[in-house]
Amino acid sequence: MHILRTDSSHTDFQNLVKLLDSILAEHNGDEHDFFNQFNTIEAIKNCVVIYIDTIPAACGSFKILSENTVEIKRMYTQPEFRQRGLASKIVKELENWARELNFQKAVLETSKDLKNAISVYEHNGFYRISNYGPYIGIEQSICLEKIL
């Protein structure tokens, strides 16, 4: 296993995000356009790709929300690599990177129906908070945070 820190211009990151977007389009249905507007990857400077041998297996990123807060985005693991702890490894790598850059808090939004994703975040110390920013009042969303 190899963890690569990169940015959103990296081809392997972009290809993994395309797979994620196709799954989310189906999951979100009519609401996909609403959520998709917050998930563009242009200019994300903090992205992680995990490789198993030479295969890009999982990814994640964060974007800066404020001087002390980052938002975890674009988390995805290819189906054949799930249940191996890769999502937790990505979360930990993103947290470490954010700490190195002097951020104190990480937040994220996910669908309340994505139980496996919620479990990964809670297992890694994130706790539920009131929905923030564009997700206020969105019933399908839950938001979480972690003090870094």
Side-chain angles (χ1 to χ4, degrees):
M1 182 187 75
H2 169 70
I3 300 175
L4 173 71
R5 287 185 181 183
T6 188
D7 63 31
S8 62
S9 69
H10 195 279
T11 303
D12 290 337
F13 177 75
Q14 291 176 357
N15 289 336
L16 288 167
V17 167
K18 285 178 188 171
L19 295 170
L20 170 63
D21 284 341
S22 67
I23 291 168
L24 290 178
E26 184 177 321
H27 174 79
N28 292 330
D30 293 341
E31 301 297 319
H32 183 67
D33 287 341
F34 170 78
F35 290 104
N36 200 42
Q37 68 182 317
F38 307 115
N39 290 324
T40 61
I41 62 169
E42 294 79 26
I44 295 181
K45 295 178 180 166
N46 306 92
C47 304
V48 172
V49 178
I50 290 184
Y51 293 87
I52 303 297
D53 296 320
T54 60
I55 301 167
C59 69
S61 65
F62 67 77
K63 72 177 189 178
I64 297 169
L65 280 189
S66 72
E67 65 183 33
N68 70 344
T69 304
V70 297
E71 182 179 32
I72 305 291
K73 306 288 290 177
R74 313 315 338 218
M75 292 283 299
Y76 178 72
T77 302
Q78 296 230 48
E80 63 268 29
F81 296 106
R82 292 182 184 158
Q83 304 300 316
R84 296 187 191 187
L86 299 183
S88 287
K89 288 185 186 322
I90 290 172
V91 169
K92 288 181 189 334
E93 184 69 17
L94 292 171
E95 289 173 7
N96 290 339
W97 198 357
R99 268 190 223 96
E100 290 168 19
L101 297 172
N102 296 314
F103 291 98
Q104 290 89 44
K105 182 169 57 171
V107 297
L108 63 90
E109 177 274 342
T110 191
S111 170
K112 67 180 180 183
D113 298 327
L114 297 177
K115 304 294 186 203
N116 289 342
I118 295 166
S119 175
V120 166
Y121 298 129
E122 289 179 339
H123 176 78
N124 283 283
F126 282 77
Y127 52 89
R128 294 182 193 207
I129 59 170
S130 298
N131 287 7
Y132 61 87
Y135 309 110
I136 294 172
I138 305 300
E139 235 178 83
Q140 184 177 338
S141 293
I142 68 160
C143 294
L144 300 104
E145 82 173 15
K146 180 177 181 178
I147 303 303
L148 302 175

